Amino acid sequence: MIKIENLHKVFDNKYEVLKGLNLSINEGELLCLLGASGCGKSTLLNILAGLMQPTSGDIKFEGCSVLNTPPKDRDIALVFQNYALYPHMTVLENVMFPLRVGKNRLSKEQAKKRAYEYIEVTKLEKFINKRPHKLSGGQQQSVAIAAALVQEPKILLLDEPLNNLDATLRLKIREEIRILVKSMNITTIFVTHDQEEALSLSDKIALVQDGHVVQLDSPQEIYLEPANLFVAKFMGNPSMNLFIMRKQGNRLISNDFKIDLKLLTPSKFKDELFEEDFFVGIRPEYFLIAPNAPVFTTNIIQKELVGKDCILHFKLNKKVAKIIVSTNSRVVEGNKISVGIDYNNIHIFTIDGRRVY
Amino acid sequence: MRKSLKAWFLLSPALIIIILFNLLPLARTVFLSFQSSSLNNSHFIGLENYITVLTDSRFHQAIYNTAIYALAVVPIGLIISLIIAAILYDFKKFQVVFEVIFFMPYIISTVAKGSIFRLLLNEDYGIINNILGWFNIMPINFLDDPEIALLTIIIFGIWSSLGFNIVILLSGLRNLNSQYYKMASVCGANKFQQFWLITLPQLLPIITFLLTVNCINSFRIYTEVYTIFNGKAGIGYSAITAVYYIYDKFYVVNRYGEGMAAAVILFMLILIFTIIQNLILRKLTRR
């Protein structure tokens, strides 16, 4: 169990990157730190590894503060985005390196034996005597992962490890990473800015914004039940459609469509709707093609084919909105469609971003 | 055919300069080394010049001095430079200031440096002997003792080689990925292991380059000797070097052929030495 309490980090140039960050990670959990670049997630990782000291706050492993523990005694392993393999060593030497230094130094024979185990796990047997620059990006990443796992760490920290790989390889390696760390029961913290990666890979996602964790939840919850407007906007691709609507009696109204509040589930309201204006968020998949009971009708201005689905663009309240429909429906640009709304799955936020429904 | 004519035409300015200033003098040196030692009435005398030079005890002294100088200055200079560069690299705050200070000797003319060293090393009023006096060490006659003359030149050579070496090594260190060291410290490698297992192997190509350049420079040492000993090669030629020997033969005793023969021998020695050194280092870096 890792507990991060009220962590602050101010850089020498007075830039405050972490602003009282709280987070806890259970043993054996695979947690993704998700956020845009510059939000502080890599800083957090460096502090966890002990490579950087926080300005204030505490980090506890199993209830004990580790702030004064040097990196080598924290029982962690690191994998970087650009692998950081030693160019003058072969694959085997790279994987053996962590075992041949430090206080729990193994003999050459023992180190070799252990390295071979992990080289087998990561399927690198063929490249054992090659130098890193002779390997492809994916193979290099596997070597970096083997060199991390060979330390049999309690905690594995991965800093955007898949960024330099092409799309197919990313899919493959992220599955492999998940299977490996799960089978070894290693607590894993995975930094990424790619929400798809986070959603598909993790047990839990910590969404970081501006030095805070804005939501810590399972991928499903974070997608379906965003804590606030930022999370709602950040998660989902294509992103959520947002409309400013005015409350008028029991309805929310806008230029092109209205929402009857009586159609919404009463138990899902988190607060009463006191204000005048609200953001209504509707994910593209919760617009429905509804020829019989349309909320509005509109013209398709653009069509993006993704595969089995396609994304249709249309204008609503003078803004471009998107709807996902099955490619099978064979809608083309210029067609008129009648659109309904899945009221169970819309969200309402106040203008300052608080979620009220 | 026309294409290659055009290529020759475009290459000609460079080729002419190279032939005129590099190849011709070289050829003329070799040619002169087989001629009798008079410029206006010279004739072919075979290997006589070579035999004279090779049996000359002063030439032996020159080659011996040059070899000792190279063997001392190159490794000691490189090791000191490496240590200073590694310290400077970790010492972020005034790095640039110190870099400039260490590089300064490289920019200053050797003649000026030599004059300064003459002042510093003077037996009676030099600062060095003055400081040694504080520790009750008798004044050392750096400049006028034939036993110490070579040592004086070696100290001067090491000091002079630092600037260039440090700047090149620092740029090499800056090119190393900082993440290597993050990884290594997480694995528990101490500073010494990080230097020995990560930094040094990756600096090998740069060290190879510096070794070659420093060796060639050491073989060519002349100005240093000339300025420190005020135009002589130490008392009784005790600090004579190979190039000084060539200069002496050519301009002082006017034995041109012998001077050229010595130059050719030195050229061959440098060539052989560089080839051997490169072969060894290539083996080391490739493994």
Side-chain angles (χ1 to χ4, degrees):
Chain A
M1 171 103 167
I2 305 169
K3 223 174 159 70
I4 298 165
E5 289 166 357
N6 200 24
L7 205 65
H8 285 268
K9 175 71 189 176
V10 185
F11 283 132
D12 289 341
N13 60 7
K14 303 275 182 286
Y15 178 68
E16 188 176 18
V17 60
L18 298 180
K19 301 171 181 166
L21 186 139
N22 290 295
L23 186 61
S24 62
I25 302 143
N26 294 321
E27 203 180 312
E29 204 166 62
L30 202 173
L31 177 109
C32 269
L33 282 175
L34 177 63
S37 15
C39 72
K41 50 196 196 308
S42 288
T43 308
L44 177 59
L45 208 69
N46 275 308
I47 293 176
L48 272 172
L51 297 167
M52 221 186 250
Q53 281 295 319
T55 311
S56 66
D58 203 358
I59 296 174
K60 288 175 178 159
F61 292 178
E62 314 295 341
C64 301
S65 173
V66 292
L67 284 190
N68 295 319
T69 315
K72 64 186 168 68
D73 298 328
R74 292 193 182 189
D75 216 347
I76 48 171
L78 264 173
V79 176
F80 285 110
Q81 177 182 341
N82 49 8
Y83 328 129
L85 298 174
Y86 304 118
H88 57 287
M89 298 184 193
T90 63
V91 168
L92 179 64
E93 287 165 332
N94 262 292
V95 178
M96 275 168 66
F97 178 80
L99 304 175
R100 297 283 293 147
V101 294
K103 62 174 195 279
N104 298 322
R105 203 168 159 237
L106 298 181
S107 74
K108 204 164 188 174
E109 287 312 306
Q110 283 173 301
K112 213 175 213 168
K113 206 173 145 228
R114 178 110 75 93
Y116 270 114
E117 264 173 56
Y118 286 91
I119 282 172
E120 224 166 274
V121 170
T122 42
K123 304 184 189 78
L124 291 164
E125 299 97 324
K126 268 186 276 174
F127 311 108
I128 223 155
N129 288 319
K130 288 228 163 87
R131 297 285 173 85
H133 67 268
K134 298 260 181 190
L135 305 182
S136 70
Q139 289 157 354
Q140 289 187 35
Q141 191 54 281
S142 298
V143 178
I145 291 166
L149 293 179
V150 80
Q151 303 166 51
E152 300 182 347
K154 274 213 184 91
I155 301 162
L156 178 63
L157 306 175
L158 303 133
D159 192 359
E160 312 225 11
L162 307 178
N163 269 20
N164 291 359
L165 303 180
D166 62 60
T168 1
L169 216 53
R170 292 173 81 136
L171 276 175
K172 195 173 143 242
I173 296 207
R174 83 181 179 211
E175 276 167 32
E176 280 170 11
I177 290 179
R178 184 173 165 87
I179 292 168
L180 276 175
V181 298
K182 281 285 146 189
S183 68
M184 293 172 67
N185 196 34
I186 301 174
T187 310
T188 306
I189 300 174
F190 189 108
V191 166
T192 179
H193 63 262
D194 182 345
Q195 49 164 304
E196 196 197 318
E197 213 161 270
L199 287 169
S200 62
L201 175 94
S202 43
D203 297 325
K204 269 190 189 164
I205 295 177
L207 188 60
V208 183
Q209 179 208 8
D210 199 18
H212 296 280
V213 172
V214 276
Q215 190 169 2
L216 171 66
D217 237 326
S218 70
Q220 183 172 309
E221 285 302 300
I222 220 164
Y223 185 79
L224 293 177
E225 299 293 339
N228 61 23
L229 184 63
F230 173 80
V231 182
K233 275 203 271 193
F234 193 93
M235 302 305 298
N237 185 22
S239 55
M240 186 182 273
N241 299 301
L242 287 168
F243 306 98
I244 292 185
M245 299 184 88
R246 176 150 292 183
K247 192 179 173 213
Q248 206 169 66
N250 250 340
R251 292 188 303 178
L252 289 171
I253 61 159
S254 66
N255 265 352
D256 293 350
F257 73 108
K258 301 181 183 70
I259 292 175
D260 192 340
L261 292 173
K262 278 182 286 186
L263 292 172
L264 305 184
T265 320
S267 63
K268 285 181 81 175
F269 278 98
K270 300 181 187 305
D271 202 350
E272 280 185 60
L273 276 56
F274 292 117
E275 290 95 331
E276 206 174 345
D277 289 331
F278 293 91
F279 274 116
V280 172
I282 307 169
R283 290 203 185 276
E285 59 268 36
Y286 299 128
F287 275 134
L288 311 166
I289 301 275
N292 300 324
V295 180
F296 57 89
T297 58
T298 184
N299 284 319
I300 302 302
I301 55 173
Q302 199 191 332
K303 176 178 170 179
E304 256 179 81
L305 198 66
V306 186
K308 78 177 177 47
D309 293 324
C310 59
I311 302 164
L312 306 175
H313 298 223
F314 57 87
K315 280 237 158 127
L316 194 61
N317 289 348
K318 296 190 180 129
K319 270 173 59 186
V320 175
K322 292 174 183 177
I323 169 173
I324 293 185
V325 300
S326 161
T327 302
N328 234 337
S329 61
R330 292 180 188 276
V331 185
V332 291
E333 279 163 26
N335 279 12
K336 208 175 194 74
I337 51 168
S338 306
V339 180
I341 296 171
D342 178 353
Y343 289 108
N344 268 323
N345 286 303
I346 70 168
H347 302 294
I348 302 172
F349 305 93
T350 60
I351 295 299
D352 57 13
R354 197 164 49 85
R355 185 167 156 206
V356 284
Y357 177 80
Chain B
M1 187 60 209
R2 279 194 59 182
K3 237 183 175 171
S4 78
L5 257 178
K6 198 171 162 190
W8 282 112
F9 173 73
L10 289 171
L11 280 172
S12 57
L15 282 178
I16 288 168
I17 289 173
I18 290 172
I19 290 170
L20 213 57
F21 294 106
N22 288 6
L23 294 182
L24 272 182
L26 197 68
R28 186 137 178 84
T29 304
V30 177
F31 172 77
L32 275 179
S33 71
F34 293 105
Q35 299 281 315
S36 77
S37 288
S38 151
L39 277 185
N40 45 19
N41 186 19
S42 60
H43 54 95
F44 183 76
I45 51 164
L47 289 172
E48 205 172 294
N49 286 329
Y50 285 90
I51 293 163
T52 315
V53 167
L54 284 172
T55 52
D56 183 354
S57 67
R58 186 167 291 165
F59 185 71
H60 298 164
Q61 176 77 36
I63 292 293
Y64 171 82
N65 281 351
T66 311
I68 296 291
Y69 175 84
L71 282 175
V73 168
V74 174
I76 297 175
L78 252 180
I79 289 169
I80 295 177
S81 310
L82 196 57
I83 293 169
I84 294 177
I87 293 171
L88 269 188
Y89 180 70
D90 271 342
F91 198 69
K92 290 275 181 310
K93 222 170 190 176
F94 299 108
Q95 200 182 68
V96 182
V97 178
F98 281 107
E99 205 181 339
V100 171
I101 291 174
F102 279 111
F103 195 58
M104 216 93 89
Y106 186 73
I107 310 167
I108 300 171
S109 133
T110 312
V111 176
K113 284 187 286 190
S115 309
I116 296 169
F117 257 69
R118 269 186 78 76
L119 281 177
L120 292 174
L121 294 173
N122 189 290
E123 190 185 1
D124 301 320
Y125 50 84
I127 292 178
I128 307 265
N129 275 322
N130 201 341
I131 294 173
L132 289 177
W134 298 348
F135 303 98
N136 288 328
I137 298 172
M138 291 299 286
I140 299 171
N141 193 353
F142 287 106
L143 302 174
D144 296 325
D145 185 341
E147 298 279 309
I148 295 180
L150 185 59
L151 178 71
T152 307
I153 294 294
I154 287 173
I155 293 171
F156 184 61
I158 292 172
W159 177 77
S160 303
S161 73
L162 296 185
F164 182 71
N165 288 353
I166 289 172
V167 168
I168 301 287
L169 286 169
L170 258 181
S171 74
L173 286 170
R174 291 198 184 107
N175 273 334
L176 297 181
N177 188 339
S178 63
Q179 293 187 336
Y180 293 142
Y181 300 98
K182 286 189 181 179
M183 294 278 275
S185 50
V186 168
C187 297
N190 57 34
K191 281 270 172 207
F192 177 75
Q193 285 169 327
Q194 290 182 19
F195 183 79
W196 193 248
L197 298 172
I198 301 170
T199 310
L200 202 58
Q202 292 191 71
L203 284 181
L204 265 187
I206 287 178
I207 292 173
T208 311
F209 163 75
L210 287 176
L211 267 181
T212 313
V213 172
N214 285 344
C215 273
I216 293 173
N217 281 341
S218 299
F219 279 119
R220 293 194 316 200
I221 176 186
Y222 163 71
T223 330
E224 289 83 346
V225 180
Y226 191 91
T227 50
I228 282 208
F229 297 112
N230 215 10
K232 300 191 195 67
I235 296 296
Y237 288 99
S238 54
I240 192 168
T241 62
V243 176
Y244 196 100
Y245 180 87
I246 296 166
Y247 172 86
D248 195 56
K249 280 282 176 203
F250 207 92
Y251 288 105
V252 182
V253 294
N254 292 339
R255 318 276 307 177
Y256 308 109
E258 287 168 23
M260 292 302 101
V264 172
I265 294 168
L266 180 64
F267 169 73
M268 298 307 267
L269 283 176
I270 294 180
L271 191 68
I272 293 166
F273 191 83
T274 312
I275 290 172
I276 292 172
Q277 183 183 295
N278 273 333
L279 283 177
I280 294 170
L281 282 165
R282 203 174 294 167
K283 264 223 167 108
L284 263 180
T285 39
R286 205 183 273 158
R287 271 197 299 167

